Amino acid sequence: MRLGVFLLAGRFPGQDDRDALSRACDAVVWAERAGFDDVWIAEHHFMSYGVCPSAITFAAHALGRTERITVGTAVSVLSTTHPVQLAEQVTMLDQISGGRLHLGVGRGGPWRDLEVFGTGLDRWENGFAESLDLLIECLSEPRVEGTGRFEFREVPMVPKPGARPRLTVACTSPGTIRIAADRDLPMLLGMDLDDHGKAAMVEAYERAGGRSAAHIGAVLAHVADSREHAEGELRAAMPGWLEAGLKGYVAVDDRPRKPHDPVGYTEHLIRISPVGTAEECLERLRGNTSGLGHYILMVDACGDPRITRRTVERIGYLMGVV
């Protein structure tokens, strides 16, 4: 099994953004030292749930601080980003790092980001496939010409693409599953899905004709001296972070949205996630019934760098001896 670390860079009560970003940056180094295969960073705008507004920028910093580990974006949001600009950054970082970048992209949501960055609701509703195809072309071809939403005259891609960087698509809906399957791109599946939910997404992908088996599942993971201790830490820390953070998901229009109950969502994640001792967490991951062979672990659910490091190092140590 391939295991990575997934970072949200959440700002917990009583912290500032520097605290959240510093903790995430340090966790990258801890993950490499502990032997994890990869480390991934989320991208959010205008919310405390995650204070990294540019996953590709964070990835550049993480690649500079490390030597071995793969760094992924989870995800770079195509609905608010120009595909050509993102492709330039990806190609540059992939070549500088010797192929250690793994690009995750997603549609995002109908949030106010679309208004602020001027891309609009139509780009989110109807433009994801077009954005993805242009991105793929820019990562693969020495010259590109834009059509449709992205009309422009032919330009050379600089740096010139070599082997295409690894590319994964975050999927939360049947439409996005079909888009990934049509291009044989692997999926990134969210930590709110249990094993059954993740398996159902893979089955839908295969029914749609997708052939990749390199899917990745995100999951909460939390290690303490016992399961009771681990659950107690999560119940004490997560609801406060979630209550403030999830309010940042503000729709770009007036559509109604039922917010998550932070306590209920915490309990849901505890129930479906590897939580407990390091041995219990690894046993649950290895015994998963989703069919996935690659998991990325959200290890920072308490906002305390000492606790985050404990989870990373204990799982990493156990991976090295079993």
mmCIF file of all heavy atoms in Angstrom, residues 6 16 18 91 93 97 103 139 151 167 177 185 201 213 236 253 258 284 290 294 296:
data_model
loop_
_atom_site.group_PDB
_atom_site.id
_atom_site.type_symbol
_atom_site.label_atom_id
_atom_site.label_comp_id
_atom_site.label_asym_id
_atom_site.label_seq_id
_atom_site.Cartn_x
_atom_site.Cartn_y
_atom_site.Cartn_z
ATOM 1 N N PHE A 6 -2.035 14.185 3.915
ATOM 2 C CA PHE A 6 -2.924 15.167 3.317
ATOM 3 C C PHE A 6 -3.097 16.325 4.299
ATOM 4 O O PHE A 6 -3.487 16.117 5.449
ATOM 5 C CB PHE A 6 -4.269 14.510 3.005
ATOM 6 C CG PHE A 6 -5.352 15.449 2.543
ATOM 7 C CD1 PHE A 6 -5.087 16.467 1.648
ATOM 8 C CD2 PHE A 6 -6.656 15.283 2.991
ATOM 9 C CE1 PHE A 6 -6.090 17.320 1.222
ATOM 10 C CE2 PHE A 6 -7.667 16.122 2.570
ATOM 11 C CZ PHE A 6 -7.382 17.141 1.683
ATOM 12 N N ASP A 16 -3.446 32.054 14.250
ATOM 13 C CA ASP A 16 -3.497 32.916 13.081
ATOM 14 C C ASP A 16 -3.062 32.109 11.864
ATOM 15 O O ASP A 16 -2.709 30.932 11.965
ATOM 16 C CB ASP A 16 -2.648 34.176 13.266
ATOM 17 C CG ASP A 16 -1.171 33.888 13.515
ATOM 18 O OD1 ASP A 16 -0.685 32.797 13.122
ATOM 19 O OD2 ASP A 16 -0.488 34.761 14.087
ATOM 20 N N ARG A 18 -0.462 32.326 9.998
ATOM 21 C CA ARG A 18 0.941 31.913 10.022
ATOM 22 C C ARG A 18 1.090 30.593 10.783
ATOM 23 O O ARG A 18 1.857 29.710 10.370
ATOM 24 C CB ARG A 18 1.805 33.001 10.666
ATOM 25 C CG ARG A 18 3.307 32.667 10.677
ATOM 26 C CD ARG A 18 4.070 33.694 11.489
ATOM 27 N NE ARG A 18 4.003 35.009 10.876
ATOM 28 C CZ ARG A 18 4.882 35.449 9.986
ATOM 29 N NH1 ARG A 18 5.901 34.678 9.627
ATOM 30 N NH2 ARG A 18 4.775 36.662 9.485
ATOM 31 N N THR A 91 4.765 22.426 -15.226
ATOM 32 C CA THR A 91 5.904 21.942 -16.008
ATOM 33 C C THR A 91 7.220 22.423 -15.408
ATOM 34 O O THR A 91 8.189 21.663 -15.289
ATOM 35 C CB THR A 91 5.781 22.405 -17.469
ATOM 36 O OG1 THR A 91 4.573 21.898 -18.032
ATOM 37 C CG2 THR A 91 6.961 21.903 -18.297
ATOM 38 N N LEU A 93 7.845 23.283 -12.227
ATOM 39 C CA LEU A 93 8.129 22.620 -10.952
ATOM 40 C C LEU A 93 8.472 21.150 -11.148
ATOM 41 O O LEU A 93 9.335 20.604 -10.461
ATOM 42 C CB LEU A 93 6.935 22.758 -10.016
ATOM 43 C CG LEU A 93 6.672 24.158 -9.463
ATOM 44 C CD1 LEU A 93 5.449 24.144 -8.559
ATOM 45 C CD2 LEU A 93 7.882 24.675 -8.705
ATOM 46 N N SER A 97 12.086 19.744 -9.991
ATOM 47 C CA SER A 97 12.102 18.758 -8.896
ATOM 48 C C SER A 97 12.472 17.360 -9.348
ATOM 49 O O SER A 97 12.508 16.441 -8.528
ATOM 50 C CB SER A 97 10.726 18.717 -8.231
ATOM 51 O OG SER A 97 9.752 18.177 -9.119
ATOM 52 N N LEU A 103 0.098 16.443 -9.874
ATOM 53 C CA LEU A 103 -0.945 17.457 -9.985
ATOM 54 C C LEU A 103 -2.318 16.833 -9.779
ATOM 55 O O LEU A 103 -2.738 15.960 -10.536
ATOM 56 C CB LEU A 103 -0.879 18.134 -11.356
ATOM 57 C CG LEU A 103 -1.948 19.195 -11.628
ATOM 58 C CD1 LEU A 103 -1.791 20.373 -10.680
ATOM 59 C CD2 LEU A 103 -1.878 19.658 -13.080
ATOM 60 N N LEU A 139 0.341 20.382 -21.031
ATOM 61 C CA LEU A 139 1.326 19.547 -20.351
ATOM 62 C C LEU A 139 1.969 18.525 -21.280
ATOM 63 O O LEU A 139 2.906 17.835 -20.871
ATOM 64 C CB LEU A 139 0.666 18.817 -19.178
ATOM 65 C CG LEU A 139 0.189 19.690 -18.014
ATOM 66 C CD1 LEU A 139 -0.575 18.846 -16.997
ATOM 67 C CD2 LEU A 139 1.351 20.394 -17.343
ATOM 68 N N GLU A 151 -9.983 31.085 -26.194
ATOM 69 C CA GLU A 151 -9.505 31.363 -27.548
ATOM 70 C C GLU A 151 -8.264 32.250 -27.507
ATOM 71 O O GLU A 151 -8.259 33.322 -26.908
ATOM 72 C CB GLU A 151 -10.603 32.050 -28.353
ATOM 73 C CG GLU A 151 -10.224 32.254 -29.816
ATOM 74 C CD GLU A 151 -11.374 32.775 -30.653
ATOM 75 O OE1 GLU A 151 -12.492 32.919 -30.104
ATOM 76 O OE2 GLU A 151 -11.141 33.052 -31.845
ATOM 77 N N LEU A 167 -1.210 13.136 -13.134
ATOM 78 C CA LEU A 167 -2.416 13.962 -13.091
ATOM 79 C C LEU A 167 -3.575 13.146 -12.554
ATOM 80 O O LEU A 167 -3.853 12.043 -13.042
ATOM 81 C CB LEU A 167 -2.732 14.486 -14.493
ATOM 82 C CG LEU A 167 -3.965 15.377 -14.655
ATOM 83 C CD1 LEU A 167 -3.858 16.635 -13.810
ATOM 84 C CD2 LEU A 167 -4.158 15.740 -16.136
ATOM 85 N N ILE A 177 -16.928 12.060 -12.524
ATOM 86 C CA ILE A 177 -16.445 10.699 -12.725
ATOM 87 C C ILE A 177 -16.364 10.384 -14.210
ATOM 88 O O ILE A 177 -15.367 9.819 -14.694
ATOM 89 C CB ILE A 177 -17.356 9.683 -12.004
ATOM 90 C CG1 ILE A 177 -17.221 9.823 -10.488
ATOM 91 C CG2 ILE A 177 -17.016 8.250 -12.430
ATOM 92 C CD1 ILE A 177 -18.209 8.977 -9.704
ATOM 93 N N LEU A 185 -8.073 9.080 -16.524
ATOM 94 C CA LEU A 185 -7.342 9.706 -15.432
ATOM 95 C C LEU A 185 -7.820 9.140 -14.108
ATOM 96 O O LEU A 185 -9.027 8.937 -13.910
ATOM 97 C CB LEU A 185 -7.553 11.221 -15.447
ATOM 98 C CG LEU A 185 -6.972 11.970 -16.644
ATOM 99 C CD1 LEU A 185 -7.422 13.431 -16.634
ATOM 100 C CD2 LEU A 185 -5.448 11.881 -16.653
ATOM 101 N N MET A 201 -17.714 4.654 -6.031
ATOM 102 C CA MET A 201 -17.167 5.613 -6.991
ATOM 103 C C MET A 201 -16.272 4.910 -8.015
ATOM 104 O O MET A 201 -16.313 5.207 -9.207
ATOM 105 C CB MET A 201 -16.386 6.698 -6.261
ATOM 106 C CG MET A 201 -17.198 7.540 -5.299
ATOM 107 S SD MET A 201 -18.219 8.774 -6.103
ATOM 108 C CE MET A 201 -17.046 10.124 -6.284
ATOM 109 N N ALA A 213 -6.305 2.367 -12.604
ATOM 110 C CA ALA A 213 -6.527 1.779 -11.280
ATOM 111 C C ALA A 213 -5.737 2.522 -10.208
ATOM 112 O O ALA A 213 -5.662 2.065 -9.066
ATOM 113 C CB ALA A 213 -6.130 0.304 -11.291
ATOM 114 N N ALA A 236 -12.610 17.048 21.027
ATOM 115 C CA ALA A 236 -12.315 18.322 21.692
ATOM 116 C C ALA A 236 -11.896 19.400 20.704
ATOM 117 O O ALA A 236 -12.165 20.590 20.919
ATOM 118 C CB ALA A 236 -11.216 18.115 22.735
ATOM 119 N N ASP A 253 -24.206 32.501 -5.879
ATOM 120 C CA ASP A 253 -25.560 32.975 -6.136
ATOM 121 C C ASP A 253 -26.403 32.759 -4.875
ATOM 122 O O ASP A 253 -25.860 32.586 -3.787
ATOM 123 C CB ASP A 253 -26.160 32.256 -7.352
ATOM 124 C CG ASP A 253 -26.056 30.738 -7.230
ATOM 125 O OD1 ASP A 253 -25.801 30.247 -6.106
ATOM 126 O OD2 ASP A 253 -26.236 30.050 -8.246
ATOM 127 N N LYS A 258 -27.434 23.701 2.915
ATOM 128 C CA LYS A 258 -27.529 23.228 4.290
ATOM 129 C C LYS A 258 -26.125 23.002 4.827
ATOM 130 O O LYS A 258 -25.401 22.147 4.323
ATOM 131 C CB LYS A 258 -28.337 21.940 4.363
ATOM 132 C CG LYS A 258 -28.538 21.428 5.791
ATOM 133 C CD LYS A 258 -29.369 20.154 5.803
ATOM 134 C CE LYS A 258 -29.559 19.654 7.232
ATOM 135 N NZ LYS A 258 -30.371 18.410 7.262
ATOM 136 N N ARG A 284 -6.505 -0.993 9.982
ATOM 137 C CA ARG A 284 -7.734 -0.583 9.305
ATOM 138 C C ARG A 284 -7.453 -0.176 7.862
ATOM 139 O O ARG A 284 -8.231 -0.496 6.951
ATOM 140 C CB ARG A 284 -8.396 0.555 10.072
ATOM 141 C CG ARG A 284 -9.710 1.011 9.458
ATOM 142 C CD ARG A 284 -10.589 1.710 10.439
ATOM 143 N NE ARG A 284 -11.876 2.048 9.858
ATOM 144 C CZ ARG A 284 -12.890 2.541 10.543
ATOM 145 N NH1 ARG A 284 -12.772 2.743 11.861
ATOM 146 N NH2 ARG A 284 -14.032 2.835 9.948
ATOM 147 N N SER A 290 -12.362 -0.843 0.105
ATOM 148 C CA SER A 290 -12.638 0.070 -1.010
ATOM 149 C C SER A 290 -11.974 -0.392 -2.299
ATOM 150 O O SER A 290 -12.366 0.046 -3.389
ATOM 151 C CB SER A 290 -12.135 1.470 -0.671
ATOM 152 O OG SER A 290 -10.715 1.491 -0.617
ATOM 153 N N HIS A 294 -3.867 3.243 -2.463
ATOM 154 C CA HIS A 294 -3.143 4.485 -2.176
ATOM 155 C C HIS A 294 -4.046 5.371 -1.342
ATOM 156 O O HIS A 294 -5.130 5.775 -1.789
ATOM 157 C CB HIS A 294 -2.765 5.176 -3.488
ATOM 158 C CG HIS A 294 -1.876 6.373 -3.327
ATOM 159 N ND1 HIS A 294 -1.395 7.094 -4.405
ATOM 160 C CD2 HIS A 294 -1.366 7.000 -2.230
ATOM 161 C CE1 HIS A 294 -0.647 8.093 -3.976
ATOM 162 N NE2 HIS A 294 -0.619 8.056 -2.662
ATOM 163 N N ILE A 296 -4.141 8.882 1.299
ATOM 164 C CA ILE A 296 -3.466 10.048 1.857
ATOM 165 C C ILE A 296 -4.188 10.421 3.149
ATOM 166 O O ILE A 296 -5.414 10.541 3.182
ATOM 167 C CB ILE A 296 -3.393 11.220 0.849
ATOM 168 C CG1 ILE A 296 -4.766 11.642 0.340
ATOM 169 C CG2 ILE A 296 -2.500 10.826 -0.313
ATOM 170 C CD1 ILE A 296 -4.732 12.864 -0.588
#
